[in-house]
Amino acid sequence: SLLRVGKVAAAEGPSTEDADTDEDSGTATAHNREKHRLLSLDRPFWTDLGVTTAQHQLIPAMSRKWRQINKFTEVFASAMAASPLAGAPRDRPIGVFDFGCGKGYLTFAMHDWLRAQGRVPQVTGVELREELVALCNDAAARHGLDGLRFDAGDVRHYTPVGLDVMVALHACDIATDHAIDFGLRAGASIIMCSPCCHQQVRPQMKTPPLLRPMLQHGVHLGQEAEMVTDSLRALLLDAAGYDTQVFEFVSLEHTNKNKMILAVRRTETPDGHADTVRAQIQAIKAFYGIREQCLETLIAARA
């Protein structure tokens, strides 16, 4: 279930490269270690990306990163199983766009996992830094990874074509809203975001009298602004026809921004549900005196 996706991601659990603990005896077993691993270190592209040695051994400094990559893949796999894509024909291409993909760890991981499931991946990593785009494209070409490519670009200037899964981790401020809107315009089955830098809503927020003693502290006001911003995003996705949850996720960078918004498109939505959710959005905005939220504005512009 979609609820299970959040539970899997929220618990960091043991590192997949370390020995796992047997539930009965407390001893390490190869069986458990294999059971939890969705990705293989034997793939040669991990060497190109600096994750493994030429002998396919995990580089010690990358052990935390490897765990994070595997945790993300668990969430991705669970979301796929809960989405309309689960019942799609096996030979139907699965279009994935990973915005702000950086060095491509997750982009390669999603492509590899889809191929291992017998699916046909069409995975695109989008990154502003051209040197990283070149590095990733070279690795993909060197190992004959059909259906994997990297483009230099920005989510705001992309036209959605053949998109089923939209991923945007650590998109700053309203870049997250543009990424979500990109997924909505494309009719994505899965939208995965890890927001960063919640700057738009905070200056607009008027502190309700009851909350003033609590929000007089800047750190609390910042946390409240983040919660309000991401709650509005989740509600807007709900109103747009997606089962949505917000949960803590293993951070993929050296940052405390470890929240994920995960939305999986519903096959059907009850009558009146969207109107009820939109009313909740307006009530929250009125409570805090919020005039504008970027994602809501983007959606309204297409109405």
Side-chain angles (χ1 to χ4, degrees), residues 255-271:
T255 173
N256 60 357
K257 302 295 185 181
N258 63 342
K259 187 187 296 181
M260 178 173 283
I261 300 174
L262 173 64
V264 176
R265 185 154 53 87
R266 290 189 290 266
T267 54
E268 58 180 303
T269 298
D271 292 340

Side-chain angles (χ1 to χ4, degrees), residues 72 96-100 106 110 165-169 190 192-193:
F72 174 87
V96 181
F97 283 76
D98 181 9
F99 291 99
L106 303 184
M110 288 185 287
V165 181
M166 196 288 302
V167 178
L169 303 190
I190 299 170
M192 306 173 73
C193 291

Side-chain angles (χ1 to χ4, degrees), residues 4-17 20 36-39 63-79 106 109 169 192 247-252 260:
R4 174 62 181 162
V5 176
K7 288 180 178 178
V8 168
E12 288 203 15
S15 171
T16 53
E17 75 279 1
D20 296 293
H36 289 298
R37 181 177 293 165
L38 295 181
L39 302 171
S63 60
R64 183 168 177 265
K65 180 69 68 180
W66 180 241
R67 181 179 63 179
Q68 294 161 352
I69 295 166
N70 275 270
K71 284 296 180 183
F72 174 87
T73 306
E74 288 182 23
V75 177
F76 176 63
S78 296
L106 303 184
L169 303 190
M192 306 173 73
F247 54 89
E248 287 189 346
F249 178 68
V250 180
S251 176
L252 292 163
M260 178 173 283

